[in-house]
Amino acid sequence: MPGKNLSREEAQQRAAILSVDGYRVHLDVTSAVDPAAVTFRSTTTITFRSSEPGGSTFADLLAPAVRAVTLNGAALDPAAVFDGTRVALDGLAAENVLVVEADCAYSRTGEGLHRFVDPVDGETYLYTHYEPADARRVFANFEQPDLKAPFTFSVTAPAAWDVYANAVHTEVTDEGAARTWQFAPTRPISTYLTAVVAGPYHVERDHYSRESKDGSTLEIPLAATCRKSLAKYFDADEIFTVTKQGLDFFHTEFDYPYPFGKYDQCFVPEYNIGAMENPGCVTFREEFVYRSKVTEAAYESRANVILHEMAHMWFGDLVTMKWWDDLWLKESFADFMGSYGLIGAGTKYTAAWTTFANRRKAWAYRQDQLPTTHPITADIRDLEDAKLNFDGITYAKGASVLKQLVAYVGPEAFFEGARQYFKRHAFGNTVLDDLLVALEETSGRDLRSWAAAWLQTSGVNVLTPQLTVDAEGRITEFAVLQDGEPARPHRVAIGFYERDTDGALVRTERVELDVAGARTVVAELAGKARPALVLLNDDDLTYCKVRFDDRSLATLREALGEITEPLSRAIAWSAVWNLTRDGLVPARDYLDLVDRFAGSESDIGVLQSLHQQSRTALDLYAAPEHRAEGGRLLAACALRELRAAEPGSDHQLAWARFLADTADGAEHLQLVEGLLAGSARIDGLTVDQELRWSLWLTLAAAGRATAEQLNGELELDNTASGRQHLTESLAALPTEAAKAAAWAAVIDSDQLPNALVEAQIAGFAQAGQRQLTAPYAGPYFEVIEQVWAQRSIEIAMRIVGGFFPRFQTDEATLAAADGWLAGHPEAAPALRRLVLECRDDLARALRAQAADRG
């Protein structure tokens, strides 16, 4: 498979004959400050060995031009050996030295070396992002995870800049208008984990020390960076606090010292993902630098991400999967450790598992019910497959299954297995079996059948209580029914709930047991009084969808918000949401539950999930004839709860944002206008810049804001974030011209950076503007193959997923999707997967709407 899309077979063939001894990479980015410059100079020297002297292989490189290629001292003709994606290498020796001098391109898509110019002060910033295979956009290499090597970087940059990389810098040489930064060699790492961050970044520094068992002291310099224009918002002390707590926790649990020297955390602009675990130089999206008030859930989310990336230093960086099939070996563990660590490290974020149960698992449940679902250990044929597998299965389902594994083998056996795994495979590459061997040794359990059931199959099981009750209301038999193939082993807790004297629902009984097969009888519950509520998977030990018996469902309809335990209440909300998505509870019933009980929800993360899910229920799952009534219900609920919330609280801010998202009718829109103008006031509510943009977006989509007013707001906030908000708001205007402009800006041009592509699509796709966007359903199916062929995969994924006509919930749109799939069997598999997933979401919406009509 020639070209960009490296196949697994090619990677295996290359790894079978090559061993890489080291890279020396020099980047000259002094051109970055010139807006007209589109390339930078990259020089790479690779020393490697071949077990097949005289044979052939190739190096990977995506670059506009190659100036020179030298193999073992012999100059090769770039025009003959470089095809735009690969450098052909023939006549290999046993020991080889390859030198490639190239002009590589600055990125506008967040892939490779991304360049950003700050509109506030005109400063230029650079950073790299590579996963899964974009290091080849910056330097020539063997782009696959199992050809690890030490990397020695040097970077020539403008004199006023600082430069960060995986290792500490050893020397900085002044060269007038420029400086060259020399970095120490790294430990052996994969190409996708290398990193360079360069620019006039603001930096805060701290230090971590820990005494080792042998009496020595481990010293880790800490740094945290952001753009200079964000420095006044940068709460580095909080970031360092979580960082130190995490380092303490992982050193204790993993018993393997952090192996990469320093620990920099760089918050960078226009980042495509949450963060990336580059050893020694972790990169985060700068939206984690909060320039306006956010809720505690946002701080918890950032802390979770900090610990997620830190866990990768061991799961992923120290020990790395051989190929992307075993991506879960790093991402599932890091996702699990993000929540586990928040509790274990003693951070102040004690509701981590409640958040996980309600938010992360919702992502997994959705992904696992798509026709494109896959086992946690997936079949990854090529790099396009790998790119799409950074999904809810690999992250959230994998983390859920690991939580189940910890319950199954016990925490000490689990972590002792991890310790053995790190020591055996440090700086190497592994597959599933390597981890299972270690865990079997420490737990004494045969994990092959467990792995076969949980890691090597797809789909989500459904657990339902089955009660037989006598005339006196006593349980004569209690069983747990399991639907879904395969029937997996589950470690579950069953909670019984009754009302107390105050009317609250409190747990009166808890049983923990193993569930296996289609039906499991729970003998110890026989003879108990039938409770008001039976909650399967109480404490969220396993990964499953939960159903209810009739009495329990009736209890939830009357008293869901009165469950006293936050985690149990979150599980109940999650179960009701799954019932709604599955068309077993009408969308209007779910909206009614939100209206009656969301106001009493104490957990701010769960509350914000309810806000998001209720919008989905209204926009996609409510029957068209019920949408207007449902919209009025949510808007009235938002206003009522906003006025009732404690002044200045997180809940007040969440309800204010929900009002901005749901404002319907003159009363609500006039309040929005008044909050912006300052003529209306909610006691304790600060209408800061981010909230102002949310309110402007509401008015723009409702046709109550002009382009001139929106541009006027930009004058108050001429920042990168402000420009993104303006772009979204202009695209949201309810006019044919606005939709045409947004479509053309993304489809007809490749000039927008990734952040503005995302903003254009978000503004274009407004649920309340179905008639305006309907004419684009046909053109969408006409252009997506061309988009996939011509754009980078990151941008193509956003366009294909974002412009899909998901709000055209009718049979005609479903038929159009089916027609495209039937008519394009040879389209790129990754493109077909995206369209198939969007099509499945649409079909689910139609089923839910049919249920809502009943």
Side-chain angles (χ1 to χ4, degrees):
M1 185 185 294
K4 296 180 184 179
N5 196 10
L6 178 73
S7 72
R8 178 175 52 202
E9 288 71 25
E10 286 179 307
Q12 290 170 340
Q13 291 166 8
R14 188 162 59 178
I17 65 169
L18 298 187
S19 299
V20 185
D21 296 315
Y23 288 81
R24 297 191 69 87
V25 179
H26 179 72
L27 306 178
D28 185 338
V29 297
T30 52
S31 63
V33 295
D34 178 4
V38 296
T39 62
F40 59 93
R41 184 72 64 85
S42 169
T43 303
T44 307
T45 302
I46 313 174
T47 56
F48 66 99
R49 287 165 285 136
S50 172
S51 62
E52 294 183 0
S56 301
T57 190
F58 62 90
D60 300 292
L61 179 66
L62 300 178
V66 169
R67 293 172 177 256
V69 179
T70 303
L71 179 62
N72 298 329
L76 307 180
D77 179 7
V81 299
F82 179 60
D83 64 0
T85 63
R86 296 179 177 188
V87 179
L89 304 174
D90 297 324
L92 297 175
E95 297 185 354
N96 302 273
V97 178
L98 172 68
V99 182
V100 179
E101 299 178 42
D103 293 326
C104 295
Y106 292 113
S107 169
R108 296 171 61 84
T109 66
E111 302 155 292
L113 182 64
H114 188 83
R115 176 170 60 177
F116 172 85
V117 179
D118 192 335
V120 174
D121 53 19
E123 296 281 15
T124 300
Y125 294 87
L126 304 177
Y127 65 86
T128 59
H129 179 70
Y130 297 148
E131 192 174 42
D134 283 320
R136 55 193 172 146
R137 296 181 184 273
V138 177
F139 58 92
N141 60 58
F142 301 118
E143 188 81 285
Q144 57 191 81
D146 59 343
L147 287 176
K148 282 185 165 183
F151 287 80
T152 303
F153 281 92
S154 59
V155 180
T156 301
W161 287 17
D162 289 330
V163 182
Y164 305 85
N166 302 96
V168 297
H169 68 269
T170 56
E171 184 180 5
V172 181
T173 305
D174 289 323
E175 300 170 6
R179 291 191 295 174
T180 295
W181 295 66
Q182 181 68 47
F183 293 89
T186 70
R187 303 298 295 269
I189 57 176
S190 302
T191 53
Y192 78 91
L193 291 168
T194 60
V196 170
V197 176
Y201 284 91
H202 169 78
V203 60
E204 301 277 354
R205 298 191 184 278
D206 206 328
H207 199 85
Y208 173 84
S209 298
R210 181 181 177 89
E211 186 173 333
S212 301
K213 290 181 178 180
D214 61 4
S216 62
T217 301
L218 176 67
E219 304 283 355
I220 304 176
L222 308 178
T225 75
C226 68
R227 286 187 289 129
K228 288 194 297 185
S229 62
L230 290 176
K232 60 185 176 182
Y233 308 113
F234 198 33
D235 55 338
D237 287 346
E238 168 68 12
I239 291 166
F240 287 138
T241 294
V242 175
T243 301
K244 293 175 184 178
Q245 290 172 320
L247 287 170
D248 270 340
F249 174 72
F250 288 125
H251 277 113
T252 297
E253 295 297 340
F254 293 161
D255 193 30
Y256 193 106
Y258 172 72
F260 299 110
K262 67 183 178 69
Y263 201 86
D264 298 342
Q265 296 176 98
C266 301
F267 294 78
V268 298
E270 297 184 332
Y271 205 47
N272 284 328
I273 61 174
M276 180 64 202
E277 67 268 19
N278 317 305
C281 190
V282 183
T283 40
F284 295 81
R285 63 186 298 116
E286 69 178 17
E287 283 78 3
F288 284 127
V289 180
Y290 302 122
R291 66 188 198 127
S292 290
K293 179 175 176 161
V294 297
T295 67
E296 187 77 357
Y299 288 103
E300 178 191 303
S301 175
R302 183 179 67 183
N304 185 300
V305 173
I306 289 171
L307 297 188
H308 174 118
E309 304 309 323
M310 188 179 292
H312 273 310
M313 299 299 135
W314 290 266
F315 281 113
D317 296 359
L318 176 66
V319 184
T320 312
M321 71 274 156
K322 283 188 177 179
W323 179 247
W324 302 100
D325 305 70
D326 283 311
L327 176 63
W328 80 281
L329 277 174
K330 71 184 191 76
E331 294 302 349
S332 298
F333 278 87
D335 212 50
F336 169 73
M337 287 295 172
S339 296
Y340 192 93
L342 285 178
I343 306 297
T347 74
K348 62 184 178 182
Y349 305 107
T350 57
W353 287 124
T354 301
T355 305
F356 181 84
N358 195 259
R359 297 176 72 105
R360 296 299 283 180
K361 291 182 88 168
W363 181 27
Y365 292 142
R366 174 194 172 270
Q367 191 82 43
D368 211 9
Q369 294 175 85
L370 292 169
T372 55
T373 188
H374 57 84
I376 294 172
T377 54
D379 179 25
I380 304 299
R381 298 162 295 184
D382 53 44
L383 292 177
E384 286 193 357
D385 276 358
K387 184 71 173 178
L388 267 66
N389 253 46
F390 289 83
D391 60 15
I393 302 296
T394 302
Y395 283 76
K397 180 180 179 180
S400 303
V401 168
L402 287 177
K403 188 180 182 186
Q404 171 75 177
L405 178 60
V406 172
Y408 184 62
V409 302
E412 181 51 41
F414 175 82
F415 281 105
E416 182 57 30
R419 295 168 199 138
Q420 297 301 321
Y421 176 73
F422 297 142
K423 290 169 183 173
R424 289 175 191 172
H425 304 288
F427 303 106
N429 297 86
T430 58
V431 295
L432 167 64
D433 194 61
D434 296 312
L435 180 64
L436 293 182
V437 166
L439 289 174
E440 285 179 333
E441 290 175 0
T442 58
S443 70
R445 286 182 177 264
D446 177 4
L447 294 180
R448 305 304 157 135
S449 59
W450 180 91
W454 279 109
L455 302 179
Q456 297 169 330
T457 61
S458 61
V460 55
N461 298 120
V462 179
L463 300 185
T464 305
Q466 185 184 62
L467 289 75
T468 304
V469 182
D470 64 20
E472 297 179 351
R474 296 279 172 184
I475 298 172
T476 57
E477 185 182 68
F478 187 105
V480 179
L481 307 183
Q482 179 174 190
D483 292 324
E485 292 295 333
R488 299 184 176 97
H490 298 265
R491 185 70 179 174
V492 300
I494 302 171
F496 280 13
Y497 290 78
E498 293 285 2
R499 288 184 179 275
D500 65 10
T501 55
D502 296 323
L505 280 170
V506 297
R507 187 160 64 190
T508 58
E509 194 81 40
R510 182 186 185 275
V511 174
E512 186 174 323
L513 72 155
D514 292 326
V515 167
R519 189 172 189 270
T520 302
V521 175
V522 187
E524 55 263 56
L525 293 178
K528 303 286 186 181
R530 180 176 188 170
L533 170 65
V534 175
L535 185 59
L536 295 186
N537 198 28
D538 210 354
D539 296 326
D540 200 40
L541 298 183
T542 193
Y543 171 81
C544 67
K545 290 196 296 185
V546 169
R547 301 300 194 223
F548 300 98
D549 63 287
D550 291 343
R551 184 179 183 188
S552 294
L553 189 56
T555 298
L556 290 178
R557 291 181 188 275
E558 294 302 318
L560 192 158
E562 295 165 31
I563 301 173
T564 56
E565 175 57 43
L567 177 56
S568 301
R569 194 170 59 248
I571 294 165
W573 275 117
S574 175
V576 172
W577 175 239
N578 280 320
L579 289 168
T580 306
R581 291 189 74 247
D582 292 345
L584 300 175
V585 166
R588 62 183 184 275
D589 287 6
Y590 182 79
L591 298 180
D592 178 66
L593 288 171
V594 171
D595 177 51
R596 290 189 291 124
F597 299 125
S600 61
E601 178 52 56
S602 61
D603 188 279
I604 189 64
V606 172
L607 176 62
Q608 290 176 293
S609 288
L610 298 179
H611 288 165
Q612 295 168 359
Q613 290 165 354
S614 61
R615 276 309 313 232
T616 300
L618 176 66
D619 295 338
L620 294 177
Y621 302 154
E625 60 268 28
H626 295 155
R627 281 189 200 129
E629 178 184 355
R632 288 190 293 269
L633 180 75
L634 290 185
C637 173
L639 181 56
R640 181 186 72 241
E641 298 300 339
L642 170 61
R643 288 173 169 158
E646 179 184 348
S649 66
D650 282 0
H651 283 66
Q652 184 187 57
L653 178 59
W655 284 111
R657 290 178 175 168
F658 193 51
L659 176 67
D661 198 35
T662 59
D664 180 76
E667 177 188 6
H668 306 104
L669 292 171
Q670 287 169 6
L671 176 59
V672 168
E673 290 169 336
L675 289 172
L676 277 171
S679 58
R681 186 171 177 273
I682 302 292
D683 186 30
L685 180 67
T686 300
V687 184
D688 57 25
Q689 190 58 65
E690 286 298 308
L691 183 55
R692 286 184 64 83
W693 279 117
S694 296
L695 298 172
W696 275 120
L697 178 61
T698 298
L699 296 179
R704 295 175 73 120
T706 66
E708 290 74 19
Q709 288 175 307
L710 297 171
N711 279 290
E713 187 69 21
L714 184 66
E715 294 179 10
L716 302 176
D717 184 34
N718 191 13
T719 63
S721 180
R723 291 187 177 190
Q724 291 170 32
H725 286 305
L726 173 66
T727 299
E728 182 178 358
S729 297
L730 290 172
L733 290 170
T735 66
E736 293 180 359
K739 301 308 169 189
W743 177 270
V746 175
I747 298 297
D748 298 342
S749 171
D750 195 13
Q751 297 305 305
L752 287 181
N754 51 340
L756 294 187
V757 168
E758 185 175 350
Q760 290 281 13
I761 293 172
F764 176 93
Q766 296 292 308
Q769 298 174 353
R770 287 173 168 84
Q771 289 184 326
L772 282 171
T773 56
Y776 294 89
Y780 167 87
F781 290 108
E782 294 170 3
V783 303
I784 54 175
E785 239 185 333
Q786 181 180 356
V787 163
W788 195 264
Q790 295 179 350
R791 304 295 180 88
S792 72
I793 190 169
E794 181 68 41
I795 297 300
M797 286 169 60
R798 294 184 185 209
I799 293 172
V800 173
F803 274 136
F804 184 89
R806 67 184 184 279
F807 294 127
Q808 308 304 322
T809 50
D810 52 46
E811 294 294 340
T813 308
L814 189 66
D818 287 337
W820 186 90
L821 289 165
H824 296 79
E826 302 303 321
L831 171 59
R832 286 182 55 83
R833 171 177 167 171
L834 285 173
V835 175
L836 185 58
E837 290 180 351
C838 290
R839 184 262 178 216
D840 190 73
D841 281 338
L842 178 60
R844 178 180 290 273
L846 290 173
R847 293 193 300 271
Q849 288 179 19
D852 196 48
R853 289 190 182 95

